[in-house]
Amino acid sequence: MRLEVISIFPDYFGVLQLSLIGKALADGLISLDVHDLRDYTHDRHRTTDDTPYGGGAGMVMKPEPWGEALDDVLAAADPSAPPMLIMPTPSGRPFTQAVADRLATAPHLVFACGRYEGIDARVAQWAATRMPVLELSLGDYVVNGGEVAALAMIEAIVRLVPGVLGNPVSLVEESYAASSDGLLEYPVYTKPPTWRGMDVPPVLLSGHHGQVAAWRRAQSEAITARRRPDLLDHPDAPGLP
């Protein structure tokens, strides 16, 4: 998988050199190129934003640097298989595990990290004539820029790429995984069996795999009903049997 990021803060993505994603980069399972948007400006202040038409607070990212950055990305891409452009934005469709699953099979993803009041809307409109574009929201809140959202999305996507996780079986029972029926994950425990007066549930020490599976399922159902009932009520959710 080839990943590219465009940002005015390219150093933000140094953390991707750590942990499992860093190992995946070292092993060649994925590649990562981070582009500084300011390299595509032509004034001495390296300006990437301006005041919004129509008035209002804040600044809007100018289309010219974005256009030139995306021109470079497209020029270096396979013309028969253009990359998919991911634009993190609070007004995008929700980024879910299902979206991560889909994007994990894409060969080339480009993340456009906006700042301020966002990127001039013509950038997405123009880009959509040359490559697939997905505007995605990390959640129902606003952060200072697209970098933190892009990092979260990249981690969620890359960990699904074959070979990245040391034990791929661990993906099977995770929260939101299709194999878990979309339920939140059950509580997990490790040694010692008693800690500060609290015991591991006896069923987990029983060695009875059927009882353990039933307990975990019941815990997942209860936690989902208590913390995320929307997952059960959503028309696309599997619900409880």
Side-chain angles (χ1 to χ4, degrees):
M1 172 182 281
R2 181 179 178 186
L3 300 174
E4 295 189 75
V5 178
I6 306 170
S7 167
I8 61 171
F9 296 115
D11 291 345
Y12 210 107
F13 295 89
V15 295
L16 293 176
Q17 301 296 329
L18 305 176
S19 190
L20 291 175
I21 295 183
K23 186 176 184 301
L25 286 166
D27 291 344
L29 294 174
I30 59 173
S31 67
L32 173 67
D33 293 303
V34 182
H35 307 279
D36 187 343
L37 183 67
R38 295 191 189 278
D39 290 343
Y40 299 94
T41 60
H42 303 285
D43 66 300
R44 67 190 183 107
H45 299 294
R46 306 182 79 199
T47 306
T48 61
D49 60 287
D50 208 333
T51 54
Y53 279 124
M59 304 290 279
V60 175
M61 299 198 87
K62 295 163 61 67
E64 298 98 330
W66 282 105
E68 292 189 26
L70 292 173
D71 284 343
D72 264 8
V73 166
L74 288 168
D78 181 352
S80 65
M84 178 174 290
L85 181 64
I86 309 299
M87 304 184 74
T89 169
S91 60
R93 61 177 286 192
F95 177 75
T96 63
Q97 187 64 43
V99 174
D101 290 342
R102 171 189 168 192
L103 295 179
T105 64
H108 188 180
L109 299 175
V110 179
F111 291 82
C113 300
R115 281 264 157 180
Y116 317 119
E117 297 303 308
I119 302 171
D120 186 301
R122 290 170 293 183
V123 174
Q125 183 179 352
W126 172 86
T129 66
R130 288 156 175 83
M131 68 188 102
V133 175
L134 274 179
E135 296 185 74
L136 296 174
S137 171
L138 196 61
D140 295 334
Y141 47 86
V142 177
V143 294
N144 286 335
E147 288 79 10
V148 66
L151 279 173
M153 292 176 190
I154 288 170
E155 178 144 334
I157 293 164
V158 168
R159 66 194 302 274
L160 300 174
V161 173
V164 171
L165 284 190
N167 181 10
V169 176
S170 62
L171 296 171
V172 173
E173 296 180 347
E174 290 181 330
S175 295
Y176 313 115
S179 54
S180 70
D181 293 333
L183 301 174
L184 299 183
E185 195 170 9
Y186 48 79
V188 296
Y189 301 86
T190 187
K191 301 175 181 67
T194 299
W195 178 75
R196 297 189 178 184
M198 294 177 286
D199 295 330
V200 172
V203 65
L204 299 181
L205 308 177
S206 69
H208 193 294
H209 298 300
Q211 292 178 5
V212 169
W215 179 88
R216 287 174 169 171
R217 172 74 187 196
Q219 291 292 312
S220 288
E221 291 177 355
I223 290 172
T224 304
R226 185 169 67 251
R227 298 179 182 173
R228 291 293 306 276
D230 57 297
L231 293 177
L232 306 178
D233 297 335
H234 192 279
D236 295 329
L240 298 179

